[in-house]
Amino acid sequence: MKSKIAILLLTALLALPAQASPPAQATISIDEIKPGMTGYGLTVFRGFKVERFSVKVIDVLRNFLPNQDIFLVQVDHPVLLRTGVIGGMSGSPIYLEGKLAGALAYGWRFSKDPVAGITPIADMLKLPARKLRGPVPTSAMHRARQTVDRMALRSLSRRDRWWRPPGLITLPEPGAQLTPVSVPMSAAGFSTRAMGLLRHGFSSFGFEPVQGGGSGGKEEGPTRFEAGGSLGVQLVSGDISLTSTGTVTHVQGNNVLAFGHRMLNGGEIYLPTTTAKIVHCLSSLSRSFKIGTPARALGSLTQDRQAGILARTDLTARTVPMALTMTTRAGNKRVYKVRLAHHRLLTPRLVRSIVASAVDEAMGDVTHATFTVKTRLDLAGKKPLTFTEHFYAGGGVGGPLTLYARGLKVVGALMDNPFAPVELKRVDIQVDTHYAHEMVQIIGLRLSRNRVSPGERVNVYVTFRPHGGAEYTRAYAVTIPADLSGSMLKLEAAGGDKVRREVATPENLDQYIRSLDNTYSGRDLVLSLHLPGQGVKLRGKVLNGLPDSVVDSLNLGTEVRAEALFHPVKHLVFKDSRVISGKKTLRLRVQREE
């Protein structure tokens, strides 16, 4: 009996007509658009609710951008009459005669009239047709080459906080010109100083960091994208959040078109995307903007082009887990856990901004501080890189940590290296702080006599001055090389974090990674003996103390560039319990042996 009922049900189901697929969205071309035409747009002004606003066509602007026209509309809505065109409306779909015409994308700063430029939908619909290389970080810098500019390694010791990224958009100064409607970058959990770093580091990308967004906290709202709904591109999630919010223009299967203009001119780029909740539309004389929070992780950005961005809901972008642990000797502890977008130019900036914000919150004391920073970087297919650094700061932890910590600088050097793509798997940073003046300064350097013999073992006396304490002198044994008869030498005493080991110019990724660890600890006293003669860095190796005849023969028979030659230095390292500051030098003559 049951089998007969099952057969009857199956027969009835097969007899039902097949369900028709949803009809394709009707569109209107730029050539059909005339002044005076009216229609409507869709966007979110509060929460998740998509609302209509009225539009009226002003006219068409031909060749506004290379190979792209736009048309101007005047918008009308109670909110827009108060705010004008709002940052975060980028991508709002515009319909004329019931057909999709394009995406709201451009506007004027300080404009009194609610007028916007619209990107034609035909240009946006070309994005899904572009062939993808695949979600693997690529770069013009990752071309095959055998050597790397020496200055690329020296840049790790510079004090600049940021470097200008090559190949990404630099927006013009605001003025009387039609520019992309801003994409507000809602920041949650960032301190005032960290917001300054964000603005400085991301201004060339076209982002406007807005403090006032939230981290979301829980997934809520729609489970799919819809035209007029909010779309977020999430750079940081977790205890700290950073999400850029715009509007969805059109959804076709797994493809989601949005923004109507480029975000950071990244081309093919993979960043996490989310739905978003709009908290408030804030009026501004310069440009009003939406304050939003990420709602539900959904898909990955794949294309960032002139006509807009394309997200795919069937893909997941790679992210990097990061843990930042801060402790004090008094027993205070604070842990931040976040996930970062994986991108060779964005990730290093995000790491520094998060560290700056966390330190301001947990260790904002403006006082003497001695602290240790331990950084561990896990790389796919490579051994973890670890750095232990010791610092002293008279005005708190924040500035020296974000400026000088080598572990933070190495993140950028790794991800933008000139040899091969690097997948960063995890970042762990520990900051242990003692609010005390555990630093000594080198104020004197001497020998018992200024003439020494080859091979002789002599005492070098270094005088230190601790904070609030009496000066003291310590003796360190140094052996004079036996082959330096008749030479004049320079001896230098310095704290370890001021001394760099000479490393060979790398020729592959493994050598490059090894070359990144070329410093000593801040708690090391390093005595450096500058030797006569020349050394050569050749084929990934450092050759010290070569005779002049050998150097000359290398110059004749091998391509040796100027930066490959150097004066050799012998470093002697002595451990200390305090951070050592300062530097002193002296000269000594080695007696000539008959």
Side-chain angles (χ1 to χ4, degrees), residues 154-363:
R154 285 186 174 178
S155 67
L156 285 177
S157 61
R158 294 174 182 168
R159 297 186 176 184
D160 53 331
R161 296 183 182 182
W162 309 99
W163 56 94
R164 182 170 295 277
L168 296 180
I169 186 172
T170 301
L171 291 182
E173 292 296 324
Q177 53 192 358
L178 196 61
T179 58
V181 176
S182 62
V183 179
M185 178 189 285
S186 297
F190 285 89
S191 66
T192 302
R193 185 169 68 94
M195 288 294 293
L197 293 179
L198 283 174
R199 291 190 181 94
H200 182 69
F202 285 91
S203 60
S204 60
F205 295 111
F207 290 129
E208 291 189 8
V210 176
Q211 194 164 26
S215 61
K218 63 177 181 179
E219 291 195 338
E220 59 177 329
T223 58
R224 60 183 180 84
F225 291 114
E226 62 176 322
S230 297
L231 178 146
V233 179
Q234 193 165 47
L235 302 182
V236 182
S237 61
D239 294 336
I240 294 176
S241 176
L242 194 62
T243 305
S244 299
T245 306
T247 303
V248 175
T249 307
H250 179 58
V251 180
Q252 186 175 13
N254 292 321
N255 295 320
V256 182
L257 296 169
F259 288 18
H261 58 70
R262 61 189 53 168
M263 185 178 70
L264 52 83
N265 198 31
E268 183 176 334
I269 185 172
Y270 295 86
L271 302 172
T273 53
T274 71
T275 60
K277 179 181 179 180
I278 303 304
V279 177
H280 183 64
C281 295
L282 187 66
S283 298
S284 171
L285 292 177
S286 172
R287 172 164 287 156
S288 303
F289 57 88
K290 296 180 179 181
I291 299 175
T293 63
R296 190 181 300 274
L298 188 60
S300 169
L301 185 68
T302 61
Q303 296 280 1
D304 176 19
R305 306 287 178 179
Q306 175 179 285
I309 67 170
L310 173 66
R312 290 266 300 271
T313 56
D314 59 334
L315 297 179
T316 302
R318 180 189 304 160
T319 57
V320 183
M322 172 181 171
L324 174 60
T325 304
M326 292 172 291
T327 58
T328 67
R329 194 168 296 184
N332 299 313
K333 183 176 181 180
R334 185 75 167 89
V335 180
Y336 285 87
K337 294 183 178 180
V338 297
R339 297 192 75 90
L340 313 174
H342 190 286
H343 187 273
R344 69 182 184 90
L345 299 177
L346 298 177
T347 305
R349 289 167 168 77
L350 297 174
V351 169
R352 285 196 174 189
S353 297
I354 289 167
V355 170
S357 183
V359 168
D360 285 350
E361 186 272 330
M363 296 181 175

Side-chain angles (χ1 to χ4, degrees), residues 26-43:
T27 61
I28 184 171
S29 71
I30 190 74
D31 296 327
E32 300 176 79
I33 297 174
K34 307 297 180 185
M37 295 178 69
T38 59
Y40 65 92
L42 299 176
T43 198

Side-chain angles (χ1 to χ4, degrees), residues 39 86 153 469 537 568 584:
I86 304 173
L153 294 178
K537 292 182 289 186
K584 292 294 180 180

Side-chain angles (χ1 to χ4, degrees), residues 66 180 182 216 222 233 312 324 339 346-347 356 401 432 455 463 492 502 514 525 549 554 575 592:
S182 62
V233 179
R312 290 266 300 271
L324 174 60
R339 297 192 75 90
L346 298 177
T347 305
L401 175 56
D432 300 315
T463 302
E492 180 181 271
E502 199 69 51
R514 288 195 296 270
L525 172 70
S549 58
L554 286 174
K575 298 295 180 181
R592 183 179 300 277

Side-chain angles (χ1 to χ4, degrees), residues 61 64 70-73 75 84-87 89-91 103-119 172-182 208 259-261 286-288:
L61 300 180
F64 171 72
I70 69 168
F71 63 96
L72 298 180
V73 300
V75 299
V85 177
I86 304 173
M89 288 183 69
S90 293
L104 187 148
Y106 298 91
W108 283 271
R109 288 185 180 272
F110 304 101
S111 174
K112 293 183 179 181
D113 296 326
V115 174
I118 311 301
T119 297
E173 292 296 324
Q177 53 192 358
L178 196 61
T179 58
V181 176
S182 62
E208 291 189 8
F259 288 18
H261 58 70
S286 172
R287 172 164 287 156
S288 303

